[in-house]
Structures are given as C-alpha cells and as structure tokens.
C-alpha cells in the first residue's frame, strides 16, 4: 500500500514570498502524482498532476511541482504567492497501473498568506 | 467541465436514522466514483470505490452494511449511512472519474457535512 507524507502542516507567508511544500511518498511501483487545493468553503480542485514524461509539471495559477524519483518526492512550488493562495493543499498518489486508480492523500498543508 | 455535485451539503439527523447522500457528475459520465471521509484537521480517507452496475469495493475497516453504496447510473452514486450514530458525524466527499484508464483524473464534489445527534 502507498503512503504520503506532507511535512509542513501549517505555513504562513507574506505576499510575494516564494513557496515550497514538501511531499514524499512510499510505494513499491510507479505512481501517478497529484496536488489538490481546497480553498476555504470550497471543494477540492486539481492543481496539477504527473503521470509520465517531463518531471517538472506546471499547473494552474502559477504552481509547479517537480517529481524526483530518487527521493520519492513531488514538492509543490510557486515563486510568488498571493493572498488568494490561502488554502489547504493536499498531495496525493495513485498506482500507475492497477490499484483501481485509488488515491492516497497526505495530511494536508494549511497555507496562510498575509498581506 | 468536470463538475461533480453532492446533495445535501449539510444534514443533521437523530441517532438511529438513515441518511442518503447523492453524488452526481454533471457534465460527464463517471464509470467510477469514490467515497471519502474527512475528519477535522485530517486528510481524506477512501471508504469505497463504486463502479456503475456492480457492487462497491470497500476499504479495509469500512462496514459495507453500514455504508451502503449504489451506483445505478453513469452519473449518480449514492451513499446511505444506515442507523447513524454520533461517531458517524463527519465530512463525506465523493469524486468521479470519467474513463477507464488509470491515468484519468478524479474530480471532487463539494462534500456533505453529516452531524448525528
């Protein structure tokens, strides 16, 4: 079974600061990787995903993530955060084949961006 | 596109009653739907996988007789919490996947807050 670790539970940044949220996973095979965001009072939305190919993935709203296979990591980055990026961010993985496309989520990182 | 709705958004019920939550894919046909549970300040935990026209597959530790799942059409799945108790109070979230390929993305509904008194 796969597992996902997000080491930063709460992050507070000032506007324009750079962001990096850590995500590490544990699984014996190839995985699909996702970052989801949940804005206050809203449902989970897909930020970006990695299935194969270029390990640097660009998503919506200026976010990107880099898959480093040797480190089992898929960290989320944004060069300059905005107040509107305040939200909870979830990293998730699913087996590349088999496993029924079941997602395993990390515990989430609550990001607060201050003006 | 890829919108998933849930109804109701909030429900309060008495202990011992049953509650049905609906999950609909509004603009696509969902061959597979998933049901998750989210406890306060915790992550989403997968409860079961629901495939249209077949029995749901439950995760270990999830009581299939308590959490009844029906996926009668390609756009609707329902979760019924039977004989609800206060410990069933939680945030229930569904997601839907359009195709069969393992690389397809899941799209999430807004969730249903269940409070059992």
């Amino acid at each position: 079974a796969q597992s996902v670790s997000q080491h930063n539970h709460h992050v507070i940044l000032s506007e324009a600061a750079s962001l990096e949220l850590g995500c590490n996973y544990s699984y014996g095979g190839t995985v699909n990787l996702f970052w989801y965001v949940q804005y206050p009072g809203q449902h989970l939305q897909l930020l970006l995903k990695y299935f194969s190919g270029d390990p640097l993935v660009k998503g919506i709203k200026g976010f990107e993530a880099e898959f480093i296979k040797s480190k089992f990591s898929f960290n989320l980055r944004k060069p300059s955060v905005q107040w509107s990026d305040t939200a909870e961010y979830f990293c998730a993985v699913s087996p590349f084949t088999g496993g029924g496309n079941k997602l395993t989520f990390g515990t989430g990182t609550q990001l607060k961006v201050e003006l | 596109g890829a919108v998933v709705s849930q109804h109701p958004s909030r429900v309060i019920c008495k202990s011992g009653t049953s509650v049905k939550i609906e999950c609909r894919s509004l603009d696509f046909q969902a061959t597979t739907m998933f049901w998750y549970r989210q406890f306060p300040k915790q992550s989403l935990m997968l409860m079961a996988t629901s495939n249209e026209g077949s029995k749901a597959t439950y995760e270990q530790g999830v009581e299939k007789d308590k959490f009844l799942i029906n996926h009668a059409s390609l756009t609707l799945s329902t979760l019924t919490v039977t004989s609800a108790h206060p410990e069933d109070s939680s945030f229930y979230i569904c997601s839907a996947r359009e195709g069969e390929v393992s690389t397809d993305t899941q799209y999430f509904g807004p969730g249903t807050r269940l409070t059992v008194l």
Side-chain angles (χ1 to χ4, degrees), chain A residues 32 36 38 43-44 46 49 51 90 96-97 100-103 105-107, chain B residues 34 36 38 42-44 46 49 59 97 102-106 108-110:
Chain A
N32 301 322
Y36 282 89
Q38 189 170 29
H43 61 282
L44 277 168
L46 181 67
K49 60 187 178 184
F51 291 154
F90 293 93
F96 185 74
T97 56
N101 193 223
K102 294 192 293 187
L103 284 172
F105 283 87
T107 51
Chain B
F34 302 86
Y36 296 83
Q38 186 177 27
Q42 294 188 33
S43 187
L44 284 77
L46 180 64
T49 302
E59 294 301 299
R97 192 186 79 200
S102 64
T103 51
D104 284 340
T105 302
Q106 290 181 36
F108 286 80

PDB file of all heavy atoms in Angstrom, chain A residues 32 36 38 43-44 46 49 51 90 96-97 100-103 105-107, chain B residues 34 36 38 42-44 46 49 59 97 102-106 108-110:
ATOM      1  N   ASN A  32       1.182   7.692 -10.059  1.00  0.00           N
ATOM      2  CA  ASN A  32       0.698   8.973 -10.556  1.00  0.00           C
ATOM      3  C   ASN A  32       0.687   9.911  -9.371  1.00  0.00           C
ATOM      4  O   ASN A  32       0.369   9.514  -8.255  1.00  0.00           O
ATOM      5  CB  ASN A  32      -0.729   8.846 -11.107  1.00  0.00           C
ATOM      6  CG  ASN A  32      -0.822   7.837 -12.231  1.00  0.00           C
ATOM      7  OD1 ASN A  32       0.067   7.728 -13.059  1.00  0.00           O
ATOM      8  ND2 ASN A  32      -1.912   7.085 -12.254  1.00  0.00           N
ATOM      9  N   TYR A  36      -3.730  18.725  -4.981  1.00  0.00           N
ATOM     10  CA  TYR A  36      -5.069  19.305  -4.954  1.00  0.00           C
ATOM     11  C   TYR A  36      -5.059  20.487  -3.997  1.00  0.00           C
ATOM     12  O   TYR A  36      -4.310  20.514  -3.011  1.00  0.00           O
ATOM     13  CB  TYR A  36      -6.101  18.284  -4.474  1.00  0.00           C
ATOM     14  CG  TYR A  36      -6.515  17.260  -5.507  1.00  0.00           C
ATOM     15  CD1 TYR A  36      -5.809  16.067  -5.652  1.00  0.00           C
ATOM     16  CD2 TYR A  36      -7.623  17.476  -6.324  1.00  0.00           C
ATOM     17  CE1 TYR A  36      -6.192  15.122  -6.595  1.00  0.00           C
ATOM     18  CE2 TYR A  36      -8.010  16.533  -7.265  1.00  0.00           C
ATOM     19  CZ  TYR A  36      -7.292  15.367  -7.401  1.00  0.00           C
ATOM     20  OH  TYR A  36      -7.687  14.422  -8.330  1.00  0.00           O
ATOM     21  N   GLN A  38      -7.730  23.099  -1.681  1.00  0.00           N
ATOM     22  CA  GLN A  38      -9.077  23.310  -1.147  1.00  0.00           C
ATOM     23  C   GLN A  38      -9.134  24.710  -0.561  1.00  0.00           C
ATOM     24  O   GLN A  38      -8.580  24.961   0.517  1.00  0.00           O
ATOM     25  CB  GLN A  38      -9.410  22.258  -0.093  1.00  0.00           C
ATOM     26  CG  GLN A  38     -10.852  22.272   0.362  1.00  0.00           C
ATOM     27  CD  GLN A  38     -11.194  21.073   1.220  1.00  0.00           C
ATOM     28  OE1 GLN A  38     -10.344  20.512   1.916  1.00  0.00           O
ATOM     29  NE2 GLN A  38     -12.443  20.646   1.183  1.00  0.00           N
ATOM     30  N   HIS A  43     -14.660  23.053  -2.663  1.00  0.00           N
ATOM     31  CA  HIS A  43     -14.283  21.653  -2.789  1.00  0.00           C
ATOM     32  C   HIS A  43     -12.855  21.519  -3.307  1.00  0.00           C
ATOM     33  O   HIS A  43     -12.249  22.505  -3.738  1.00  0.00           O
ATOM     34  CB  HIS A  43     -15.249  20.929  -3.724  1.00  0.00           C
ATOM     35  CG  HIS A  43     -15.267  21.488  -5.114  1.00  0.00           C
ATOM     36  ND1 HIS A  43     -15.940  22.636  -5.454  1.00  0.00           N
ATOM     37  CD2 HIS A  43     -14.686  21.052  -6.253  1.00  0.00           C
ATOM     38  CE1 HIS A  43     -15.783  22.866  -6.740  1.00  0.00           C
ATOM     39  NE2 HIS A  43     -15.030  21.935  -7.246  1.00  0.00           N
ATOM     40  N   LEU A  44     -12.341  20.328  -3.249  1.00  0.00           N
ATOM     41  CA  LEU A  44     -11.007  20.033  -3.745  1.00  0.00           C
ATOM     42  C   LEU A  44     -10.926  20.291  -5.247  1.00  0.00           C
ATOM     43  O   LEU A  44     -11.781  19.868  -6.012  1.00  0.00           O
ATOM     44  CB  LEU A  44     -10.662  18.565  -3.503  1.00  0.00           C
ATOM     45  CG  LEU A  44     -10.135  18.185  -2.132  1.00  0.00           C
ATOM     46  CD1 LEU A  44     -10.142  16.680  -1.989  1.00  0.00           C
ATOM     47  CD2 LEU A  44      -8.738  18.727  -1.926  1.00  0.00           C
ATOM     48  N   LEU A  46      -8.110  20.236  -8.633  1.00  0.00           N
ATOM     49  CA  LEU A  46      -6.818  19.752  -9.092  1.00  0.00           C
ATOM     50  C   LEU A  46      -5.923  20.930  -9.466  1.00  0.00           C
ATOM     51  O   LEU A  46      -6.295  21.788 -10.258  1.00  0.00           O
ATOM     52  CB  LEU A  46      -7.005  18.839 -10.303  1.00  0.00           C
ATOM     53  CG  LEU A  46      -5.740  18.237 -10.883  1.00  0.00           C
ATOM     54  CD1 LEU A  46      -5.131  17.243  -9.892  1.00  0.00           C
ATOM     55  CD2 LEU A  46      -6.037  17.539 -12.211  1.00  0.00           C
ATOM     56  N   LYS A  49      -0.845  17.583 -12.057  1.00  0.00           N
ATOM     57  CA  LYS A  49      -0.683  16.136 -11.962  1.00  0.00           C
ATOM     58  C   LYS A  49       0.525  15.699 -12.772  1.00  0.00           C
ATOM     59  O   LYS A  49       0.925  16.367 -13.742  1.00  0.00           O
ATOM     60  CB  LYS A  49      -1.934  15.422 -12.464  1.00  0.00           C
ATOM     61  CG  LYS A  49      -2.267  15.743 -13.909  1.00  0.00           C
ATOM     62  CD  LYS A  49      -3.608  15.151 -14.313  1.00  0.00           C
ATOM     63  CE  LYS A  49      -3.954  15.534 -15.746  1.00  0.00           C
ATOM     64  NZ  LYS A  49      -5.311  15.055 -16.138  1.00  0.00           N
ATOM     65  N   PHE A  51       1.955  12.144 -14.614  1.00  0.00           N
ATOM     66  CA  PHE A  51       1.769  10.745 -14.957  1.00  0.00           C
ATOM     67  C   PHE A  51       3.063  10.167 -15.527  1.00  0.00           C
ATOM     68  O   PHE A  51       3.463   9.058 -15.192  1.00  0.00           O
ATOM     69  CB  PHE A  51       0.645  10.583 -15.983  1.00  0.00           C
ATOM     70  CG  PHE A  51      -0.727  10.898 -15.438  1.00  0.00           C
ATOM     71  CD1 PHE A  51      -1.734  11.326 -16.267  1.00  0.00           C
ATOM     72  CD2 PHE A  51      -1.004  10.763 -14.089  1.00  0.00           C
ATOM     73  CE1 PHE A  51      -2.997  11.617 -15.771  1.00  0.00           C
ATOM     74  CE2 PHE A  51      -2.264  11.039 -13.587  1.00  0.00           C
ATOM     75  CZ  PHE A  51      -3.264  11.469 -14.440  1.00  0.00           C
ATOM     76  N   PHE A  90      -3.219  19.521  -0.677  1.00  0.00           N
ATOM     77  CA  PHE A  90      -3.079  18.079  -0.458  1.00  0.00           C
ATOM     78  C   PHE A  90      -2.283  17.444  -1.586  1.00  0.00           C
ATOM     79  O   PHE A  90      -2.579  17.651  -2.764  1.00  0.00           O
ATOM     80  CB  PHE A  90      -4.459  17.396  -0.415  1.00  0.00           C
ATOM     81  CG  PHE A  90      -5.301  17.765   0.766  1.00  0.00           C
ATOM     82  CD1 PHE A  90      -6.217  18.799   0.687  1.00  0.00           C
ATOM     83  CD2 PHE A  90      -5.186  17.074   1.962  1.00  0.00           C
ATOM     84  CE1 PHE A  90      -7.008  19.140   1.772  1.00  0.00           C
ATOM     85  CE2 PHE A  90      -5.973  17.405   3.056  1.00  0.00           C
ATOM     86  CZ  PHE A  90      -6.881  18.438   2.959  1.00  0.00           C
ATOM     87  N   PHE A  96       0.273   3.620 -10.776  1.00  0.00           N
ATOM     88  CA  PHE A  96       0.227   3.893 -12.214  1.00  0.00           C
ATOM     89  C   PHE A  96      -0.610   2.856 -12.949  1.00  0.00           C
ATOM     90  O   PHE A  96      -1.345   3.169 -13.870  1.00  0.00           O
ATOM     91  CB  PHE A  96       1.654   3.920 -12.778  1.00  0.00           C
ATOM     92  CG  PHE A  96       1.721   4.309 -14.222  1.00  0.00           C
ATOM     93  CD1 PHE A  96       1.533   5.622 -14.601  1.00  0.00           C
ATOM     94  CD2 PHE A  96       1.975   3.364 -15.195  1.00  0.00           C
ATOM     95  CE1 PHE A  96       1.595   5.998 -15.932  1.00  0.00           C
ATOM     96  CE2 PHE A  96       2.033   3.726 -16.528  1.00  0.00           C
ATOM     97  CZ  PHE A  96       1.850   5.046 -16.909  1.00  0.00           C
ATOM     98  N   THR A  97      -0.498   1.633 -12.528  1.00  0.00           N
ATOM     99  CA  THR A  97      -1.333   0.584 -13.112  1.00  0.00           C
ATOM    100  C   THR A  97      -1.943  -0.231 -11.987  1.00  0.00           C
ATOM    101  O   THR A  97      -1.356  -0.368 -10.925  1.00  0.00           O
ATOM    102  CB  THR A  97      -0.520  -0.372 -14.003  1.00  0.00           C
ATOM    103  OG1 THR A  97       0.555  -0.920 -13.235  1.00  0.00           O
ATOM    104  CG2 THR A  97       0.036   0.355 -15.200  1.00  0.00           C
ATOM    105  N   GLY A 100      -6.890   0.261  -9.133  1.00  0.00           N
ATOM    106  CA  GLY A 100      -8.190   0.886  -9.325  1.00  0.00           C
ATOM    107  C   GLY A 100      -8.157   2.389  -9.280  1.00  0.00           C
ATOM    108  O   GLY A 100      -9.181   3.028  -9.034  1.00  0.00           O
ATOM    109  N   ASN A 101      -6.974   2.986  -9.529  1.00  0.00           N
ATOM    110  CA  ASN A 101      -6.892   4.451  -9.546  1.00  0.00           C
ATOM    111  C   ASN A 101      -7.215   5.041  -8.178  1.00  0.00           C
ATOM    112  O   ASN A 101      -7.649   6.173  -8.068  1.00  0.00           O
ATOM    113  CB  ASN A 101      -7.845   5.003 -10.608  1.00  0.00           C
ATOM    114  CG  ASN A 101      -7.613   6.473 -10.918  1.00  0.00           C
ATOM    115  OD1 ASN A 101      -8.555   7.244 -11.050  1.00  0.00           O
ATOM    116  ND2 ASN A 101      -6.374   6.867 -11.001  1.00  0.00           N
ATOM    117  N   LYS A 102      -7.009   4.276  -7.111  1.00  0.00           N
ATOM    118  CA  LYS A 102      -7.331   4.776  -5.788  1.00  0.00           C
ATOM    119  C   LYS A 102      -6.295   5.788  -5.346  1.00  0.00           C
ATOM    120  O   LYS A 102      -5.093   5.549  -5.429  1.00  0.00           O
ATOM    121  CB  LYS A 102      -7.386   3.619  -4.790  1.00  0.00           C
ATOM    122  CG  LYS A 102      -8.531   2.657  -5.062  1.00  0.00           C
ATOM    123  CD  LYS A 102      -8.738   1.692  -3.916  1.00  0.00           C
ATOM    124  CE  LYS A 102      -7.605   0.732  -3.749  1.00  0.00           C
ATOM    125  NZ  LYS A 102      -7.899  -0.301  -2.738  1.00  0.00           N
ATOM    126  N   LEU A 103      -6.775   6.911  -4.847  1.00  0.00           N
ATOM    127  CA  LEU A 103      -5.894   7.969  -4.371  1.00  0.00           C
ATOM    128  C   LEU A 103      -5.603   7.811  -2.888  1.00  0.00           C
ATOM    129  O   LEU A 103      -6.505   7.536  -2.103  1.00  0.00           O
ATOM    130  CB  LEU A 103      -6.533   9.333  -4.594  1.00  0.00           C
ATOM    131  CG  LEU A 103      -6.539   9.906  -6.013  1.00  0.00           C
ATOM    132  CD1 LEU A 103      -7.391  11.162  -6.064  1.00  0.00           C
ATOM    133  CD2 LEU A 103      -5.128  10.213  -6.465  1.00  0.00           C
ATOM    134  N   PHE A 105      -4.083  10.197   0.072  1.00  0.00           N
ATOM    135  CA  PHE A 105      -3.791  11.594   0.325  1.00  0.00           C
ATOM    136  C   PHE A 105      -2.813  11.764   1.478  1.00  0.00           C
ATOM    137  O   PHE A 105      -2.792  10.969   2.428  1.00  0.00           O
ATOM    138  CB  PHE A 105      -5.083  12.338   0.684  1.00  0.00           C
ATOM    139  CG  PHE A 105      -5.944  12.650  -0.499  1.00  0.00           C
ATOM    140  CD1 PHE A 105      -6.866  11.720  -0.947  1.00  0.00           C
ATOM    141  CD2 PHE A 105      -5.840  13.867  -1.151  1.00  0.00           C
ATOM    142  CE1 PHE A 105      -7.662  11.996  -2.047  1.00  0.00           C
ATOM    143  CE2 PHE A 105      -6.638  14.152  -2.241  1.00  0.00           C
ATOM    144  CZ  PHE A 105      -7.555  13.218  -2.688  1.00  0.00           C
ATOM    145  N   GLY A 106      -2.061  12.840   1.404  1.00  0.00           N
ATOM    146  CA  GLY A 106      -1.295  13.279   2.559  1.00  0.00           C
ATOM    147  C   GLY A 106      -2.226  14.006   3.513  1.00  0.00           C
ATOM    148  O   GLY A 106      -3.409  14.208   3.225  1.00  0.00           O
ATOM    149  N   THR A 107      -1.682  14.396   4.654  1.00  0.00           N
ATOM    150  CA  THR A 107      -2.499  15.014   5.697  1.00  0.00           C
ATOM    151  C   THR A 107      -2.810  16.481   5.411  1.00  0.00           C
ATOM    152  O   THR A 107      -3.598  17.083   6.135  1.00  0.00           O
ATOM    153  CB  THR A 107      -1.802  14.915   7.061  1.00  0.00           C
ATOM    154  OG1 THR A 107      -0.469  15.408   6.929  1.00  0.00           O
ATOM    155  CG2 THR A 107      -1.775  13.480   7.546  1.00  0.00           C
TER     156      THR A 107
ATOM    157  N   PHE B  34     -15.833   7.486  -6.237  1.00  0.00           N
ATOM    158  CA  PHE B  34     -15.169   7.149  -4.986  1.00  0.00           C
ATOM    159  C   PHE B  34     -15.854   7.913  -3.856  1.00  0.00           C
ATOM    160  O   PHE B  34     -16.261   9.068  -4.018  1.00  0.00           O
ATOM    161  CB  PHE B  34     -13.693   7.550  -5.040  1.00  0.00           C
ATOM    162  CG  PHE B  34     -12.923   6.899  -6.163  1.00  0.00           C
ATOM    163  CD1 PHE B  34     -12.913   7.458  -7.418  1.00  0.00           C
ATOM    164  CD2 PHE B  34     -12.190   5.737  -5.947  1.00  0.00           C
ATOM    165  CE1 PHE B  34     -12.201   6.877  -8.472  1.00  0.00           C
ATOM    166  CE2 PHE B  34     -11.467   5.150  -6.974  1.00  0.00           C
ATOM    167  CZ  PHE B  34     -11.482   5.724  -8.231  1.00  0.00           C
ATOM    168  N   TYR B  36     -15.141   9.295   0.066  1.00  0.00           N
ATOM    169  CA  TYR B  36     -14.127   9.566   1.069  1.00  0.00           C
ATOM    170  C   TYR B  36     -14.788  10.117   2.325  1.00  0.00           C
ATOM    171  O   TYR B  36     -15.895  10.663   2.295  1.00  0.00           O
ATOM    172  CB  TYR B  36     -13.134  10.628   0.566  1.00  0.00           C
ATOM    173  CG  TYR B  36     -12.301  10.228  -0.630  1.00  0.00           C
ATOM    174  CD1 TYR B  36     -12.804  10.350  -1.924  1.00  0.00           C
ATOM    175  CD2 TYR B  36     -11.008   9.746  -0.469  1.00  0.00           C
ATOM    176  CE1 TYR B  36     -12.040   9.995  -3.019  1.00  0.00           C
ATOM    177  CE2 TYR B  36     -10.234   9.401  -1.566  1.00  0.00           C
ATOM    178  CZ  TYR B  36     -10.755   9.537  -2.837  1.00  0.00           C
ATOM    179  OH  TYR B  36      -9.993   9.193  -3.925  1.00  0.00           O
ATOM    180  N   GLN B  38     -13.639  12.653   5.648  1.00  0.00           N
ATOM    181  CA  GLN B  38     -12.602  13.558   6.134  1.00  0.00           C
ATOM    182  C   GLN B  38     -12.942  13.979   7.542  1.00  0.00           C
ATOM    183  O   GLN B  38     -13.976  14.607   7.793  1.00  0.00           O
ATOM    184  CB  GLN B  38     -12.492  14.787   5.226  1.00  0.00           C
ATOM    185  CG  GLN B  38     -11.332  15.702   5.573  1.00  0.00           C
ATOM    186  CD  GLN B  38     -11.213  16.869   4.614  1.00  0.00           C
ATOM    187  OE1 GLN B  38     -12.194  17.308   4.020  1.00  0.00           O
ATOM    188  NE2 GLN B  38     -10.011  17.390   4.452  1.00  0.00           N
ATOM    189  N   GLN B  42      -7.798  16.443   9.411  1.00  0.00           N
ATOM    190  CA  GLN B  42      -7.154  15.238   8.893  1.00  0.00           C
ATOM    191  C   GLN B  42      -7.371  15.138   7.392  1.00  0.00           C
ATOM    192  O   GLN B  42      -8.111  15.914   6.802  1.00  0.00           O
ATOM    193  CB  GLN B  42      -7.703  13.996   9.592  1.00  0.00           C
ATOM    194  CG  GLN B  42      -7.362  13.915  11.063  1.00  0.00           C
ATOM    195  CD  GLN B  42      -7.765  12.582  11.660  1.00  0.00           C
ATOM    196  OE1 GLN B  42      -7.723  11.557  10.989  1.00  0.00           O
ATOM    197  NE2 GLN B  42      -8.147  12.599  12.921  1.00  0.00           N
ATOM    198  N   SER B  43      -6.727  14.157   6.819  1.00  0.00           N
ATOM    199  CA  SER B  43      -6.793  14.014   5.370  1.00  0.00           C
ATOM    200  C   SER B  43      -8.027  13.226   4.965  1.00  0.00           C
ATOM    201  O   SER B  43      -8.792  12.750   5.791  1.00  0.00           O
ATOM    202  CB  SER B  43      -5.539  13.318   4.874  1.00  0.00           C
ATOM    203  OG  SER B  43      -5.525  13.313   3.474  1.00  0.00           O
ATOM    204  N   LEU B  44      -8.212  13.098   3.664  1.00  0.00           N
ATOM    205  CA  LEU B  44      -9.313  12.298   3.153  1.00  0.00           C
ATOM    206  C   LEU B  44      -8.944  10.823   3.230  1.00  0.00           C
ATOM    207  O   LEU B  44      -7.843  10.435   2.835  1.00  0.00           O
ATOM    208  CB  LEU B  44      -9.602  12.642   1.689  1.00  0.00           C
ATOM    209  CG  LEU B  44     -10.329  13.935   1.401  1.00  0.00           C
ATOM    210  CD1 LEU B  44      -9.409  15.114   1.535  1.00  0.00           C
ATOM    211  CD2 LEU B  44     -10.942  13.895   0.015  1.00  0.00           C
ATOM    212  N   LEU B  46     -10.160   7.135   1.919  1.00  0.00           N
ATOM    213  CA  LEU B  46     -11.018   6.448   0.979  1.00  0.00           C
ATOM    214  C   LEU B  46     -11.858   5.406   1.702  1.00  0.00           C
ATOM    215  O   LEU B  46     -11.328   4.599   2.462  1.00  0.00           O
ATOM    216  CB  LEU B  46     -10.184   5.777  -0.107  1.00  0.00           C
ATOM    217  CG  LEU B  46     -10.950   5.013  -1.178  1.00  0.00           C
ATOM    218  CD1 LEU B  46     -11.826   5.957  -2.000  1.00  0.00           C
ATOM    219  CD2 LEU B  46      -9.983   4.265  -2.089  1.00  0.00           C
ATOM    220  N   THR B  49     -14.892   2.257  -3.425  1.00  0.00           N
ATOM    221  CA  THR B  49     -14.869   2.534  -4.854  1.00  0.00           C
ATOM    222  C   THR B  49     -16.141   1.976  -5.456  1.00  0.00           C
ATOM    223  O   THR B  49     -16.483   0.805  -5.213  1.00  0.00           O
ATOM    224  CB  THR B  49     -13.646   1.877  -5.503  1.00  0.00           C
ATOM    225  OG1 THR B  49     -12.462   2.361  -4.867  1.00  0.00           O
ATOM    226  CG2 THR B  49     -13.586   2.205  -6.993  1.00  0.00           C
ATOM    227  N   GLU B  59     -12.941  -0.315   1.428  1.00  0.00           N
ATOM    228  CA  GLU B  59     -11.607  -0.362   2.016  1.00  0.00           C
ATOM    229  C   GLU B  59     -11.665  -1.104   3.352  1.00  0.00           C
ATOM    230  O   GLU B  59     -12.731  -1.235   3.981  1.00  0.00           O
ATOM    231  CB  GLU B  59     -11.075   1.048   2.230  1.00  0.00           C
ATOM    232  CG  GLU B  59     -10.834   1.804   0.938  1.00  0.00           C
ATOM    233  CD  GLU B  59      -9.837   1.109   0.043  1.00  0.00           C
ATOM    234  OE1 GLU B  59      -8.670   0.923   0.456  1.00  0.00           O
ATOM    235  OE2 GLU B  59     -10.216   0.748  -1.102  1.00  0.00           O
ATOM    236  N   ARG B  97     -14.544   9.659 -11.722  1.00  0.00           N
ATOM    237  CA  ARG B  97     -13.546   9.509 -12.777  1.00  0.00           C
ATOM    238  C   ARG B  97     -14.269   9.185 -14.060  1.00  0.00           C
ATOM    239  O   ARG B  97     -15.161   8.342 -14.072  1.00  0.00           O
ATOM    240  CB  ARG B  97     -12.578   8.384 -12.412  1.00  0.00           C
ATOM    241  CG  ARG B  97     -11.343   8.323 -13.296  1.00  0.00           C
ATOM    242  CD  ARG B  97     -10.515   7.102 -12.965  1.00  0.00           C
ATOM    243  NE  ARG B  97     -11.051   5.897 -13.558  1.00  0.00           N
ATOM    244  CZ  ARG B  97     -10.772   4.669 -13.151  1.00  0.00           C
ATOM    245  NH1 ARG B  97      -9.986   4.495 -12.112  1.00  0.00           N
ATOM    246  NH2 ARG B  97     -11.283   3.625 -13.756  1.00  0.00           N
ATOM    247  N   SER B 102      -6.028   4.257 -16.042  1.00  0.00           N
ATOM    248  CA  SER B 102      -5.563   4.558 -14.682  1.00  0.00           C
ATOM    249  C   SER B 102      -4.997   5.955 -14.553  1.00  0.00           C
ATOM    250  O   SER B 102      -4.820   6.453 -13.458  1.00  0.00           O
ATOM    251  CB  SER B 102      -4.508   3.537 -14.260  1.00  0.00           C
ATOM    252  OG  SER B 102      -3.364   3.653 -15.097  1.00  0.00           O
ATOM    253  N   THR B 103      -4.729   6.620 -15.663  1.00  0.00           N
ATOM    254  CA  THR B 103      -4.185   7.970 -15.577  1.00  0.00           C
ATOM    255  C   THR B 103      -5.286   9.027 -15.575  1.00  0.00           C
ATOM    256  O   THR B 103      -5.001  10.210 -15.577  1.00  0.00           O
ATOM    257  CB  THR B 103      -3.235   8.251 -16.753  1.00  0.00           C
ATOM    258  OG1 THR B 103      -3.906   7.916 -17.975  1.00  0.00           O
ATOM    259  CG2 THR B 103      -1.977   7.419 -16.634  1.00  0.00           C
ATOM    260  N   ASP B 104      -6.521   8.614 -15.580  1.00  0.00           N
ATOM    261  CA  ASP B 104      -7.585   9.609 -15.555  1.00  0.00           C
ATOM    262  C   ASP B 104      -7.648  10.302 -14.201  1.00  0.00           C
ATOM    263  O   ASP B 104      -7.322   9.731 -13.176  1.00  0.00           O
ATOM    264  CB  ASP B 104      -8.926   8.956 -15.860  1.00  0.00           C
ATOM    265  CG  ASP B 104      -9.069   8.664 -17.349  1.00  0.00           C
ATOM    266  OD1 ASP B 104      -8.341   9.284 -18.144  1.00  0.00           O
ATOM    267  OD2 ASP B 104      -9.898   7.813 -17.693  1.00  0.00           O
ATOM    268  N   THR B 105      -8.107  11.519 -14.233  1.00  0.00           N
ATOM    269  CA  THR B 105      -8.159  12.342 -13.030  1.00  0.00           C
ATOM    270  C   THR B 105      -9.497  12.195 -12.339  1.00  0.00           C
ATOM    271  O   THR B 105     -10.532  12.035 -12.976  1.00  0.00           O
ATOM    272  CB  THR B 105      -7.940  13.812 -13.417  1.00  0.00           C
ATOM    273  OG1 THR B 105      -6.689  13.931 -14.070  1.00  0.00           O
ATOM    274  CG2 THR B 105      -7.952  14.710 -12.186  1.00  0.00           C
ATOM    275  N   GLN B 106      -9.457  12.269 -11.005  1.00  0.00           N
ATOM    276  CA  GLN B 106     -10.684  12.295 -10.230  1.00  0.00           C
ATOM    277  C   GLN B 106     -11.104  13.744 -10.008  1.00  0.00           C
ATOM    278  O   GLN B 106     -10.269  14.600  -9.711  1.00  0.00           O
ATOM    279  CB  GLN B 106     -10.477  11.623  -8.871  1.00  0.00           C
ATOM    280  CG  GLN B 106     -10.280  10.124  -8.959  1.00  0.00           C
ATOM    281  CD  GLN B 106     -10.107   9.501  -7.592  1.00  0.00           C
ATOM    282  OE1 GLN B 106     -10.723   9.929  -6.609  1.00  0.00           O
ATOM    283  NE2 GLN B 106      -9.272   8.474  -7.516  1.00  0.00           N
ATOM    284  N   PHE B 108     -13.710  16.151  -7.725  1.00  0.00           N
ATOM    285  CA  PHE B 108     -14.321  16.045  -6.416  1.00  0.00           C
ATOM    286  C   PHE B 108     -15.586  16.879  -6.278  1.00  0.00           C
ATOM    287  O   PHE B 108     -15.693  17.975  -6.825  1.00  0.00           O
ATOM    288  CB  PHE B 108     -13.320  16.455  -5.331  1.00  0.00           C
ATOM    289  CG  PHE B 108     -12.269  15.408  -5.094  1.00  0.00           C
ATOM    290  CD1 PHE B 108     -11.173  15.294  -5.936  1.00  0.00           C
ATOM    291  CD2 PHE B 108     -12.394  14.505  -4.042  1.00  0.00           C
ATOM    292  CE1 PHE B 108     -10.211  14.315  -5.742  1.00  0.00           C
ATOM    293  CE2 PHE B 108     -11.431  13.526  -3.834  1.00  0.00           C
ATOM    294  CZ  PHE B 108     -10.350  13.430  -4.687  1.00  0.00           C
ATOM    295  N   GLY B 109     -16.515  16.344  -5.501  1.00  0.00           N
ATOM    296  CA  GLY B 109     -17.693  17.090  -5.131  1.00  0.00           C
ATOM    297  C   GLY B 109     -17.402  18.011  -3.961  1.00  0.00           C
ATOM    298  O   GLY B 109     -16.321  17.939  -3.357  1.00  0.00           O
ATOM    299  N   PRO B 110     -18.351  18.859  -3.599  1.00  0.00           N
ATOM    300  CA  PRO B 110     -18.136  19.839  -2.531  1.00  0.00           C
ATOM    301  C   PRO B 110     -18.241  19.266  -1.123  1.00  0.00           C
ATOM    302  O   PRO B 110     -17.928  19.960  -0.159  1.00  0.00           O
ATOM    303  CB  PRO B 110     -19.250  20.862  -2.779  1.00  0.00           C
ATOM    304  CG  PRO B 110     -20.321  20.089  -3.464  1.00  0.00           C
ATOM    305  CD  PRO B 110     -19.627  19.055  -4.286  1.00  0.00           C
TER     306      PRO B 110
END
